[in-house]
Amino acid sequence: MEQKPASQLLIIFGASGDLTYRKLIPAVYDLYKNKQLADNFAVLGVSRTAISDDDFRSKLKEGIEEFAQLETDAADAFLKKLFYLPIDTFKQDDYLTLSKKIKELQKSQSLEDNILYYMSTPPKMFPVISENLKFAKLNAETKSTGFRRIIIEKPFGTDLESALELNEVIKKVFHEKQVYRIDHYLGKETVQNLLVTRFSNAIFEPLWNRNFVSHVEIISSENIGVGKRGGYYDQSGALRDMFQNHLLQLLALVAMEPPAVLEPDAIRNEIMKLMQSLRPFTDETVASNIIRGQYTGSKIRGEEVNSYRDEEGVPDTSRTETFLAAKLFIDNWRWSDVPFFVRTGKRLPTRVTEIVISFKPTPHH
C-alpha cells in the first residue's frame, strides 16, 4: 500500500496568478481525488489581490473544471481545504499576519507543523519573500517544528550572475535540503519514460550514437499566443521561457550517458557532463545557427488574432522573441558532429511536443 505524505500546509505565493489557476490547484486536486494527499492538509493562497476565501474557491473551481477531471463531490470537499490571505509581500509586518494565519489553520484543520512554500511569482520576488519569511521566523526547522520546504520554479534568475546571486540569498534563509528548484516539464510521464526507453531497451541503446543517428529534433510548439501573460512573457521570451530550461533538459535526457544508478544525484551528474559538452556559440555561429522571430496578426480558423506587439502588456517596440530555432552540437564521443535542432514558439500551426530521432539512410536503397 502506497504511503501517504505527512499532514502539511501548502502555501502558494502569487496564488491569484495564472500558474495556480491552470496548473497547481488542478494538480493538487488530482492528488486529492486519487487519495494521494494526507488526510489532513490545507492550501493557503497568498497574494496582493484582495479577495475572500469564497471568491478564491470559486475562481479555482473554474480552473479545476477546465484543466482537471471534475468530480463534483470530490471537488466540493477539496475546495473546503482552500483558504486565502491577501498581504503585501514587500511588507515585513504582513508576514506576522501570515504567521498568525498559519497557526489558525493548523489548529482548525488539525495539521501537523509541516509547511511547503511554493513560489508562483516572478523571480525578483524570491529573495524578498525568502527574507521576509526569515523575519517572521517561518523558515527555520527546529526540534519543536516539522519540516519547512521552499519550492522555486523556473526561471531562476535571468542570467548566470543573477542566478548565483539569487542562490546566495536563498542559502542565507534556507538550508540546501529545504530548497527544491524544479522544472515542471520533468514531471511529465512521457519525459520520465525517456530513461526507460533509452536504457532498458536492447534495440535502441546500441544505435543511440553518431554512427547511426543523422540528426535529432526537439520541438515544442503552441498554437496559442501569450494571452494575458504579455507583461511576464516580454521579460523572458522563448529563450528564457522554454529553451534554456525545458528544452535543454529534454536534450540532456535524450543525449546523456547512462547513470551508474537510477538515483537523483547520479542522473544530475550525467546531465551536468552533457551540458558541459555543448559546443559554445561564437558570433559567427549565433548568426548562422539561431533564428528568432515574433508572431504577427493573422486569421486562424476564421478568427482574427493579435500580433505579439498588440497583446496586453507588450510594448509596441518589443523585440522579445516568441519563436526560437537553434542548431546545437555536443562535443563528446557519442554525439560528435550530430546536429540537434531545437525549436519552440507560439501561434504555430499546431500544439505538439515531440522528439524525433532520424537515423542515417541505409547504404543501398
Side-chain angles (χ1 to χ4, degrees), residues 102-291:
I102 289 171
K103 290 182 173 64
E104 290 175 0
L105 286 176
Q106 287 176 337
K107 184 176 181 180
S108 65
Q109 302 300 309
S110 302
L111 303 177
E112 296 176 26
D113 192 17
N114 298 315
I115 303 176
L116 289 169
Y117 302 111
Y118 198 110
M119 301 291 108
S120 179
T121 65
K124 65 181 181 181
M125 291 303 301
F126 298 167
V128 175
I129 294 172
S130 298
E131 290 173 342
N132 287 338
L133 287 171
K134 182 178 181 179
F135 167 79
K137 299 180 180 178
L138 291 171
N139 62 312
E141 293 181 350
T142 66
K143 292 181 179 179
S144 60
T145 68
F147 64 71
R148 300 287 184 270
R149 301 286 185 267
I150 182 169
I151 302 172
I152 300 172
E153 192 166 343
K154 67 90 188 170
F156 194 76
T158 55
D159 53 22
L160 177 60
E161 183 179 357
S162 61
L164 293 173
E165 185 177 319
L166 174 57
N167 213 38
E168 286 303 311
V169 172
I170 292 172
K171 281 166 61 178
K172 292 177 182 177
V173 179
F174 294 95
H175 297 298
E176 180 62 29
K177 69 180 182 66
Q178 295 177 271
V179 182
Y180 285 74
R181 304 169 190 84
I182 69 169
D183 184 331
H184 61 254
Y185 242 63
L186 300 185
K188 294 179 181 290
E189 185 177 1
T190 307
V191 173
Q192 294 185 345
N193 285 341
L194 275 173
L195 295 180
V196 177
T197 301
R198 284 198 55 194
F199 301 128
S200 298
N201 196 313
I203 296 176
F204 291 133
E205 182 55 25
L207 308 178
W208 214 265
N209 56 61
R210 60 188 170 84
N211 296 323
F212 298 96
V213 175
S214 166
H215 61 276
V216 177
E217 296 173 82
I218 300 174
I219 304 159
S220 178
S221 67
E222 296 181 90
N223 54 9
I224 60 173
V226 298
K228 296 181 180 180
R229 299 171 66 234
Y232 157 75
Y233 192 88
D234 202 63
Q235 302 299 313
S236 59
L239 181 65
R240 289 188 177 127
D241 188 50
M242 288 293 297
F243 177 78
Q244 61 86 29
N245 40 69
H246 299 331
L247 298 182
L248 279 186
Q249 289 285 354
L250 291 182
L251 183 148
L253 292 175
V254 168
M256 63 187 267
E257 295 299 315
V261 289
L262 282 178
E263 294 179 356
D265 285 350
I267 294 172
R268 182 196 63 190
N269 292 342
E270 295 303 333
I271 289 176
M272 177 69 73
K273 292 177 188 175
L274 190 284
M275 296 295 185
Q276 291 170 338
S277 300
L278 285 171
R279 185 181 299 175
F281 284 104
T282 64
D283 291 344
E284 292 75 21
T285 56
V286 164
S288 61
N289 290 0
I290 292 182
I291 297 173

Side-chain angles (χ1 to χ4, degrees), residues 29-42:
Y29 164 73
D30 281 338
L31 291 173
Y32 173 80
K33 188 177 64 175
N34 295 329
K35 297 181 170 37
Q36 293 176 298
L37 289 181
D39 294 329
N40 293 337
F41 79 95

Side-chain angles (χ1 to χ4, degrees), residues 321-337:
E321 75 285 345
T322 66
F323 174 85
L324 178 78
K327 181 181 181 181
L328 306 173
F329 290 93
I330 299 169
D331 289 332
N332 64 13
W333 187 272
R334 182 185 290 265
W335 297 113
S336 179
D337 292 331

Side-chain angles (χ1 to χ4, degrees), residues 78-104:
F78 172 74
L79 290 169
K80 292 177 182 177
K81 300 283 190 178
L82 306 187
F83 303 87
Y84 186 82
L85 179 68
I87 68 170
D88 185 338
T89 45
F90 285 95
K91 292 183 178 178
Q92 287 187 335
D93 288 345
D94 280 16
Y95 288 77
L96 300 177
T97 304
L98 172 61
S99 179
K100 182 179 178 181
K101 182 69 172 179
I102 289 171
K103 290 182 173 64
E104 290 175 0

Side-chain angles (χ1 to χ4, degrees), residues 226 230-238 292-295 307-311 313-322:
V226 298
Y232 157 75
Y233 192 88
D234 202 63
Q235 302 299 313
S236 59
R292 299 165 66 240
Q294 279 183 356
Y295 62 80
S307 70
Y308 174 68
R309 292 184 182 182
D310 290 331
E311 299 284 20
V314 177
D316 295 338
T317 57
S318 172
R319 293 179 61 82
T320 299
E321 75 285 345
T322 66

